[in-house]
Amino acid sequence: MPDCVFCKIVAGEIPSTRVYEDEELFAFEDVQPQAPVHVLIVPRKHIPTLNDVTEGDAPMIGRMMRAGARIAQAKGTAAAGYRTLFNVNAGGGQTVFHLHLHVLGGRTLRPGLG
Ligand code: AMP
Ligand code: ZN
């Protein structure tokens, strides 16, 4: 995906602060953090939104969630608490159309969802 910012981050063509990587996932610090811990976990392969995730991608989604928990642990916010979320399409607040899991923590998050 030539014009995808997260594909470029995965390829190292746009700089990022890497937090974690493996064969299929890449995690990096959000450039406009909404909390002291704000990490994005993306698949290396381009998937636009959660709507485009297939049954075959399901194990990878599970590994994204597990990576989120491990990152929260490593960042010291696992016990106090944190939030993971996928924004989906414009009405769901998605602005970058390469699937990404937000991991937010390091402060007390408002109950519920705005
Ligand atoms: P969303 O609104 O769910 O699509 O989230 C996109 C997120 O990507 C936002 O929190 C942005 O701050 C973040 N973002 C956009 N460009 C970059 C970048 N080059 N490096 C790191 N994070 C980015
Ligand atoms: Zn992409």
Side-chain angles (χ1 to χ4, degrees):
M1 283 291 144
D3 277 328
C4 172
V5 60
F6 288 175
C7 280
K8 288 180 177 167
I9 283 178
V10 168
E13 292 163 12
I14 290 178
S16 69
T17 303
R18 187 184 60 216
V19 173
Y20 172 79
E21 68 177 315
D22 61 30
E23 318 76 55
E24 63 185 349
L25 303 179
F26 192 89
F28 52 97
E29 305 283 355
D30 195 294
V31 76
Q32 281 189 288
Q34 305 298 308
V37 174
H38 191 172
V39 174
L40 303 175
I41 306 170
V42 309
R44 289 184 181 276
K45 82 166 176 176
H46 183 85
I47 301 174
T49 83
L50 189 61
N51 291 338
D52 304 297
V53 166
T54 66
E55 197 58 35
D57 294 323
M60 185 264 297
I61 298 294
R63 285 192 283 272
M64 286 176 84
M65 304 307 298
R66 282 280 306 129
R70 285 201 312 276
I71 289 166
Q73 183 78 47
K75 296 272 190 185
T77 194
Y82 60 101
R83 183 171 293 161
T84 62
L85 66 99
F86 291 104
N87 293 326
V88 182
N89 276 339
Q94 186 173 7
T95 60
V96 177
F97 288 83
H98 179 132
L99 186 70
H100 51 282
L101 181 67
H102 291 262
V103 179
L104 292 148
R107 66 168 167 84
T108 302
L109 300 166
R110 266 185 301 123
L113 298 165

